[in-house]
Amino acid sequence: MKNILRRLAVLFCLMLALALPAFAEGEKGEANITPQTTMKELRENPSIKGSGIYTYVYVWERDCGLLKSSKDNDTMLDVIGKESINSCVAGMNFLIDTYNTGTQITYKLYTPEEIAEDKTRDHAELYYFPADKPNAKYAVVLSGNALFYSGEMRGGVSTAWELHQKGYAVFALRYRIGSEAKDNAPIQDLGRAIQLITANAEKFGVQTEDYALLGYSSGGQIAGVFCGQEVGYPRYNVPRPGVLLLAYPINNFYEAKPIYRWLIDTYSEDLRYYDYNISGCVTPDFPPTYFWYGLNDILLMAFNYYEQGPALQKALARNGVPYHESVYKRAFHGIGIAEGTDAEGWLNDAAAFWEEQTAQAQQPAA
């Protein structure tokens, strides 16, 4: 009974933490998004609508039809939170301007034939934020999900804008979540995304090597597992990520693992992505890793705090993998860009780490 109660408490904390903080021809939307723009106004912007980017927060808002457009009257600030709103708004306006130049934003990861075989694949998409110059490095951003929360705006758009300002191309990944995440679907979606980018590198104006995987929360767990050998990038015949950049990552789902299996893969006995710990995937050839988290992160506490960042740090050090760890006194879960918190500026440090590590990797051996 105690184990059941603990698992339910973990699920509740997970839900609570992430609940907090092609248009008609000739018609183009204006890049006039502000923190006070409502979600309905955002979605009715012709360029946002035409771009195809996913602007919903919870899976039931659009895809399940249970609570249709329940966030329509909320402002962008209400939905995104003050820690990421400025970057998200700037990113949305950049997206509008980019789309209005004729640039395709949304890319489906699967063919129509593959989607016909499994309709959940229709929800797997990449959102492209191009760099200003060709042959740029690129990052793929995986937001947190908590089974039901979709963070493409809070994590993806805000991060895309910040990294675009630094000269990178960015792809925000919408991977399958909730009941659609069965059979390792999120890992498959990430693998397919890297395959798509690699095969179309010239079109996207990016380098195929030295890319970054940037993951928030549970998206960080998926990105970290993908960096390992067992179910990660080697299975998809794509280059190894140049670096792994993680914000308050879930290293170990701990007591939630049985909950995930019960909800997602009820009748399967095979290992799934949530069964793996990032720390368990670390080997000497694991990508250099930058990660941060807060001492007051309630969700990480619920998952056994010492099985999270501390366990990941030990695994990286033990295997001789270059890493940078930042632990902040006041940095709650789900704060994204983290403006106005102890973690403000973390993305600048992460980008510097990315440049430093990939530069070292390109130096010839003595």
Side-chain angles (χ1 to χ4, degrees):
M1 178 60 71
K2 288 183 178 180
N3 284 339
I4 293 175
L5 291 175
R6 174 184 283 180
R7 290 168 184 169
L8 289 175
V10 167
L11 182 60
F12 174 77
C13 288
L14 180 62
M15 294 171 66
L16 179 63
L18 285 178
L20 292 174
F23 51 83
E25 186 176 354
E27 185 179 6
K28 297 182 179 181
E30 295 183 16
N32 57 1
I33 307 303
T34 74
Q36 297 307 315
T37 298
T38 67
M39 296 306 297
K40 183 177 181 180
E41 291 169 338
L42 177 73
R43 292 164 185 157
E44 289 179 347
N45 183 296
S47 295
I48 294 295
K49 184 183 300 184
S51 75
I53 192 167
Y54 191 72
T55 58
Y56 292 79
V57 180
Y58 302 108
V59 293
W60 54 72
E61 283 193 272
R62 188 178 82 172
D63 298 330
C64 297
L66 297 178
L67 296 173
K68 186 177 180 181
S69 302
S70 62
K71 292 284 182 181
D72 267 0
N73 294 325
D74 287 359
T75 67
M76 289 280 290
L77 178 59
D78 293 331
V79 171
I80 304 303
K82 64 181 185 298
E83 298 87 1
S84 295
I85 185 60
N86 291 324
S87 299
C88 186
V89 163
M92 280 295 181
N93 285 320
F94 170 75
L95 184 151
I96 290 170
D97 286 337
T98 302
Y99 179 74
N100 287 346
T101 66
T103 301
Q104 182 177 344
I105 301 298
T106 298
Y107 289 83
K108 293 290 185 182
L109 295 182
Y110 297 96
T111 66
E113 293 75 19
E114 290 171 321
I115 293 172
E117 293 174 0
D118 181 351
K119 294 190 182 302
T120 69
R121 291 171 176 160
D122 194 37
H123 297 155
E125 301 173 330
L126 270 184
Y127 307 120
Y128 173 46
F129 294 75
D132 287 335
K133 297 181 180 179
N135 200 36
K137 291 179 184 176
Y138 77 87
V140 175
V141 181
L142 293 87
S143 300
N145 67 80
L147 296 177
F148 65 92
Y149 172 86
S150 198
E152 287 78 14
M153 288 190 299
R154 183 193 291 177
V157 175
S158 61
T159 304
W161 169 251
E162 292 293 332
L163 290 178
H164 170 267
Q165 291 290 87
K166 300 180 187 302
Y168 302 108
V170 187
F171 298 84
L173 175 63
R174 183 187 178 203
Y175 56 92
R176 284 172 284 176
I177 64 175
S179 61
E180 297 183 350
K182 62 183 182 296
D183 298 327
N184 282 333
I187 297 289
Q188 295 172 22
D189 296 344
L190 178 53
R192 177 61 68 94
I194 304 301
Q195 290 174 338
L196 175 66
I197 298 167
T198 302
N200 296 277
E202 184 174 353
K203 174 181 178 179
F204 291 130
V206 298
Q207 305 173 17
T208 58
E209 305 290 336
D210 295 333
Y211 66 94
L213 291 185
L214 193 156
Y216 290 94
S217 187
S218 52
Q221 190 268 347
I222 294 168
V225 170
F226 186 82
C227 288
Q229 295 287 330
E230 192 164 346
V231 295
Y233 68 92
R235 287 178 170 249
Y236 297 91
N237 296 314
V238 296
R240 188 195 77 157
V243 292
L244 178 62
L245 311 176
L246 303 175
Y248 41 86
I250 304 295
N251 175 62
N252 182 346
F253 277 110
Y254 200 57
E255 293 284 1
K257 292 179 181 180
I259 298 173
Y260 270 65
R261 181 165 296 276
W262 175 59
L263 293 173
I264 300 175
D265 293 292
T266 308
Y267 302 107
S268 174
E269 295 182 358
D270 297 331
L271 288 176
R272 293 291 185 256
Y273 74 93
Y274 45 79
D275 290 314
Y276 290 88
N277 306 332
I278 304 175
S279 55
C281 297
V282 175
T283 58
D285 61 349
F286 197 79
T289 301
Y290 177 102
F291 66 106
W292 70 268
Y293 55 95
L295 289 172
N296 62 339
D297 191 321
I298 297 174
L299 180 59
L300 296 184
M301 294 177 189
F303 280 137
N304 186 340
Y305 191 86
Y306 295 101
E307 289 297 323
Q308 306 309 322
L312 177 56
Q313 183 275 328
K314 290 179 181 178
L316 294 167
R318 184 169 60 248
N319 284 276
V321 176
Y323 72 92
H324 175 91
E325 175 190 34
S326 289
V327 184
Y328 301 103
K329 290 184 178 180
R330 294 184 300 278
F332 289 105
H333 208 82
I335 56 178
I337 300 301
E339 186 175 343
T341 75
D342 287 3
E344 182 173 349
W346 74 266
L347 200 48
N348 294 329
D349 296 338
F353 177 85
W354 182 6
E355 290 299 318
E356 175 187 349
Q357 294 301 320
T358 52
Q360 290 181 3
Q362 293 171 2
Q363 292 178 354

